[in-house]
């Protein structure tokens, strides 16, 4: 989140007050920091949809970038090729904002452009008979290499868990399995 905030020109520690609007796409806490917005609320590292490119084009100051973004949204042959390359490289919202650096939507627009993080489901690996107050999970780290850049990427949820110290407490919900 720190690198993303720096790239976007945001002060990660700045506090926000969000006024919910009727019909707003995303839920957001009414008070949070910019860091919390991009770490715990918005799925900045999720795959952007075509609508994201269309809306982003409205904020592009560079004519060439604006044209490419519009071609992706319009599904032109050029746009399809650019979109295919981005998808092949597992490009996420942050990658697209980095690639199209003249397009810098204000935070109030990003809140509606980028979907919220979705809950991740994991199987419980412990027994309540043995550990009544503890839930243990067996989690496999999701990782991959981006072909064009040779960058190693780690899944958002597994990456977050990997950063936690042993014994850290995480917020979770228990739901019955299907």
């Amino acid at each position: 989140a720190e690198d993303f905030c720096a790239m976007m020109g945001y002060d990660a520690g700045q506090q926000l007050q969000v006024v919910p609007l009727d019909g707003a796409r995303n839920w957001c806490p009414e008070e949070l920091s910019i860091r919390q917005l991009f770490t715990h609320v918005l799925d900045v590292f999720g795959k952007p949809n075509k609508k994201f490119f269309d809306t982003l084009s409205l904020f592009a100051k560079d004519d060439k970038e604006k044209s490419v973004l519009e071609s992706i949204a319009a599904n032109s042959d050029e746009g399809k090729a650019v979109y295919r390359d981005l998808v092949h490289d597992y490009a996420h919202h942050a990658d697209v904002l980095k690639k199209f650096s003249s397009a810098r939507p204000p935070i109030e627009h990003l809140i509606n452009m980028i979907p919220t993080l979705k809950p991740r489901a994991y199987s419980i690996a412990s027994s309540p008979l043995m550990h009544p107050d503890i839930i243990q999970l067996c989690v496999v780290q999701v990782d991959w290499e981006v072909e064009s850049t040779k960058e190693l990427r780690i899944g958002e949820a597994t990456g977050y868990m990997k950063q936690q110290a042993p014994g850290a407490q995480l917020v979770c919900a228990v739901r019955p399995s299907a």
Side-chain angles (χ1 to χ4, degrees):
E2 301 298 324
D3 291 342
F4 178 78
C5 288
M7 177 186 76
M8 295 297 290
Y10 300 142
D11 172 4
Q14 180 184 345
Q15 291 297 307
L16 301 174
Q17 290 198 329
V18 179
V19 178
L21 300 174
D22 288 338
R25 176 180 177 192
N26 291 333
W27 169 90
C28 184
E30 292 185 21
E31 292 187 18
L32 74 165
S33 70
I34 292 177
R35 179 182 300 104
Q36 290 169 316
L37 177 67
F38 294 120
T39 304
H40 301 298
V41 179
L42 298 181
D43 193 6
V44 177
F45 300 108
K47 179 183 168 190
N49 59 23
K50 298 271 177 105
K51 178 73 175 153
F52 177 81
F53 292 95
D54 188 30
T55 306
L56 189 62
S57 72
L58 301 174
F59 299 97
K61 292 180 174 47
D62 179 87
D63 290 337
K64 182 165 176 33
E65 288 186 5
K66 184 179 191 70
S67 174
V68 172
L69 288 164
E70 288 172 341
S71 74
I72 293 170
N75 221 17
S76 71
D77 288 342
E78 176 197 4
K80 285 178 187 176
V82 173
Y83 187 72
R84 186 175 45 250
D85 290 345
L86 290 168
V87 168
H88 179 74
D89 272 351
Y90 300 99
H92 45 56
H93 295 96
D95 288 331
V96 172
L97 288 161
K98 184 177 182 179
K99 181 176 180 67
F100 299 99
S101 59
S102 80
R104 289 293 178 258
I107 287 179
E108 57 268 24
H109 287 275
L110 283 177
I111 288 173
N112 280 320
M113 290 171 64
I114 300 174
T116 55
L117 286 165
K118 292 168 186 52
R120 300 328 199 248
Y122 298 97
S123 296
I124 296 173
S126 58
S127 166
L129 299 175
M130 194 129 178
H131 303 285
D133 298 327
I134 296 174
I135 294 176
Q136 296 173 328
L137 305 176
C138 181
V139 178
V140 175
Q141 178 176 305
V142 176
D143 60 16
W144 65 96
E145 183 179 90
V146 176
E147 278 187 46
S148 66
T149 63
K150 302 300 181 205
E151 176 188 4
L152 179 65
R153 295 264 171 106
I154 297 174
E156 187 141 8
T158 54
Y160 176 77
M161 285 190 262
K162 185 177 180 178
Q163 291 175 349
Q164 304 307 305
Q169 295 185 7
L170 304 175
V171 176
C172 67
V174 178
R175 295 196 172 100
S177 60

